[in-house]
Amino acid sequence: MSIISYVNGSYVDHKDAKVNIEDRGYQFADGVYEVFAVINKQIVDYDGHINRLFRSLNEISLNSPIVKEAYIFHIRNLIRKNNIHDGLIYLQVSRGVAQRDFKFPTKIKPSLVITAKSISMENYYSKFKQGIKVKITDDLRWKRVDIKTLNLLPPVLAKQKAVENGCEEAWMIDSDGYITEGSSSNAWILIRDKLITTPATNSILKGITRTSLIRALKRKNIKLIEKRFNKKDIKNANEAFITSATQFVMPVIKVDGYKIGNGKVGKYAHMFKDAYMEAIQLK
Ligand code: PDD
């Protein structure tokens, strides 16, 4: 079965899905994106992701090429056309096609691309049982990482460094020595029974998975502290995690070669993953 993607108003065979080489997404990373998980043919936390997309668009003064209500229609079409049971939807809006010039061109239509792929929840659960290893890298990003822009070179370099060091994720550290977040996830540590995550300022992307987990933990009376943490705090942690639309809740068992707790997936990881899975909104 061929894969179907959405490009600027048409559903096309993925092999034929193309954008112009003068698209400003390609030339300048001038655009924003979202990643939605699909579980059981339904979109996970749709409202959170679509609202964040519109916030990102607004922050870079880009108009949506379609009305807000139309996005779910196209996403659902792709889920159906690609027969996705569990999967990921990638959606990107760029400023559109124009001759290369830094300032905003006038009278161009933004480009919209949506793609879908299947994932295996069994792979997720088996990765969860193993946990992942994290490498600490410098946070080389700009000052507005709260906007989900296409400008991803620093996280690409961070993730590559992690992989070259036998790790699955990078935790980026700022010039004050604090962890901001993962290259494509939010970062959490647990010290005794206190869960700590970086506050949602301009220095991190306010993850939709992060918001859902916080909502879930409130119901379970878990003590959450939104504050910055450093390498010393990581050494005192008994458990650690990342969250994202692609990894859900994923335990971290080693940071820079240092074992978290006993180096195995802990009981809170299971509790948080279960609480998160119960709290997600499916649409
Ligand atoms: N990344 N922080 C960063 C820098 C991210 O890129 C992401 C997500 C998150 C988690 O956000 P959410 O829970 O809304 O997925 C935090 C996506 C998955 C990606 O770029 O593939």
Side-chain angles (χ1 to χ4, degrees), residues 33 35 49 52 148 181-186 205 207-209 244-245:
Y33 76 105
V35 179
H49 285 282
R52 187 174 64 187
K148 203 164 169 62
E181 59 184 330
S183 67
S184 59
S185 59
N186 290 119
L205 181 78
I208 304 305
T209 318
S244 75

Side-chain angles (χ1 to χ4, degrees), residues 208-236:
I208 304 305
T209 318
R210 176 187 184 280
T211 303
S212 289
L213 180 60
I214 291 174
R215 194 177 60 234
L217 296 179
K218 272 195 187 127
R219 291 188 205 156
K220 305 264 173 209
N221 280 327
I222 300 284
K223 280 179 229 150
L224 170 76
I225 308 174
E226 290 188 61
K227 67 164 192 152
R228 303 190 300 170
F229 61 90
N230 58 21
K231 283 187 187 172
K232 204 171 126 226
D233 298 319
I234 295 173
K235 292 205 163 154
N236 287 328

Side-chain angles (χ1 to χ4, degrees), residues 133-145:
K133 298 190 265 329
V134 160
K135 168 88 191 131
I136 294 181
T137 63
D138 286 336
D139 193 338
L140 301 173
R141 301 173 302 163
W142 73 322
K143 292 177 183 156
R144 288 305 308 278
V145 297

Side-chain angles (χ1 to χ4, degrees), residues 73-126:
F73 172 79
H74 294 303
I75 293 173
R76 282 185 175 149
N77 276 348
L78 283 187
I79 293 172
R80 191 171 38 77
K81 285 176 192 286
N82 291 298
N83 204 10
I84 306 270
H85 188 273
D86 304 312
L88 293 171
I89 301 289
Y90 175 79
L91 185 157
Q92 123 171 11
V93 184
S94 76
R95 205 172 302 274
V97 177
Q99 225 176 39
R100 189 174 183 278
D101 184 0
F102 280 71
K103 66 181 182 296
F104 294 174
T106 49
K107 296 187 193 131
I108 59 165
K109 200 172 156 36
S111 306
L112 172 59
V113 171
I114 316 175
T115 58
K117 70 169 185 187
S118 289
I119 56 162
S120 146
M121 288 306 281
E122 270 152 41
N123 285 354
Y124 163 68
Y125 287 116
S126 57

